[in-house]
Amino acid sequence: MRTPLLAVASLLLVFTLPACTTAEMRMPEGFAADAVAYGVSGHSPRRFNEPVRFGPYSALEMHEGSTVSWGAPIATIDVGRTSKPYAYTMVARGLPPVKVQCRSRAWTAGTGPESRRTTVDLTALAGPLLACGLWMDDYGMQLLEINRQGSRMQGRLQSPWGREYAVRGINAFQGSPIASMEPTGYAIDDGGRTLAVVDVLNSGRVHLAPTLDDDQRVYLAAAAAALLLLDAELGG
């Protein structure tokens, strides 16, 4: 559910962007100008169990579970949890497949009547908002984890070749000083150097640095699909 603050921010954005301009994610500073960019199909509009595709990469064998929510009263506080699982296999011609299994999970605590209700996000205290396992070739499971702290997302991505990448949410719009309450995209960084950018606005877009080799590209593409499928407002 959209909060009043998010609605106000969205309204302000309309007046700060040029007329008739579609909102766009602001790219990270210094990201390679010659990065390869792919438009996404299957992200928005999203249809249940539809494959996600961009460029030569396809997230097939899609299995989406239903979003399940429950709540329980504890004294004067209502504690709630919302979760959703999904799994797929990222494939590209001539490259090893990457199997991905994810679960997104959010915890909240609320008190007061509906008209004046106060809700607090407890997800950061209970574990990551998104936890995924990725399998490539004969390597063991690698982790992708995303944590939410307020409107900001931070996480990590392990890789089969021993590198651990930082994953960070981007909350900026191109041409506007107003920050979004939800991520406009994500960057996957290696020691301050951005390797991939996932734009979640509109139909979506994935950018991959030209320095990546083929195995790195399909692996980061698999992680990008997980970020495209993440509902950042889960439990909100």
Side-chain angles (χ1 to χ4, degrees):
M1 178 165 45
R2 293 170 65 89
T3 64
L5 185 58
L6 179 56
V8 170
S10 300
L11 182 61
L12 288 173
L13 175 64
V14 171
F15 291 103
T16 57
L17 288 173
C20 301
T21 298
T22 302
E24 296 180 358
M25 186 201 78
R26 186 189 305 165
M27 296 293 289
E29 237 179 280
F31 185 58
D34 54 348
V36 181
Y38 301 112
V40 179
S41 67
H43 164 58
S44 180
R46 179 76 190 141
R47 297 178 179 84
F48 194 67
N49 279 332
E50 180 182 8
V52 172
R53 306 176 191 269
F54 46 92
Y57 309 104
S58 298
L60 305 180
E61 301 175 6
M62 183 70 66
H63 298 287
E64 289 184 87
S66 300
T67 300
V68 177
S69 299
W70 58 260
I74 301 178
T76 60
I77 299 174
D78 295 323
V79 176
R81 172 180 147 167
T82 303
S83 64
K84 179 179 181 177
Y86 50 91
Y88 54 87
T89 300
M90 178 60 72
V91 299
R93 186 180 297 275
L95 295 176
V98 183
K99 294 185 180 296
V100 183
Q101 294 182 2
C102 297
R103 180 177 294 276
S104 52
R105 182 181 62 177
W107 290 85
T108 58
T111 185
E114 190 66 32
S115 59
R116 299 190 305 277
R117 189 167 184 78
T118 300
T119 302
V120 178
D121 183 7
L122 302 178
T123 306
L125 303 177
L129 172 67
L130 175 69
C132 300
L134 293 83
W135 291 263
M136 182 176 180
D137 283 340
D138 295 327
Y139 295 98
M141 184 185 73
Q142 310 297 318
L143 289 176
L144 167 62
E145 294 181 334
I146 302 294
N147 295 282
R148 180 169 60 196
Q149 297 181 340
S151 63
R152 299 293 174 176
M153 300 285 197
Q154 299 286 341
R156 65 188 183 116
L157 170 65
Q158 297 175 335
S159 72
W161 39 88
R163 299 289 295 179
E164 182 168 296
Y165 304 122
V167 184
R168 57 185 173 89
I170 298 172
N171 292 64
F173 293 98
Q174 183 64 37
S176 173
I178 297 176
S180 171
M181 295 297 293
E182 301 293 346
T184 58
Y186 299 88
I188 301 176
D189 297 337
D190 181 17
R193 180 172 57 106
T194 300
L195 301 180
V197 173
V198 183
D199 181 348
V200 301
L201 295 180
N202 308 310
S203 60
R205 204 162 181 82
V206 175
H207 307 255
L208 299 176
T211 54
L212 298 169
D213 64 32
D214 287 344
D215 283 1
Q216 291 171 329
R217 291 168 70 84
V218 71
Y219 187 78
L220 292 184
L227 296 171
L228 286 165
L229 289 167
L230 172 62
D231 180 2
E233 293 189 359
L234 188 75

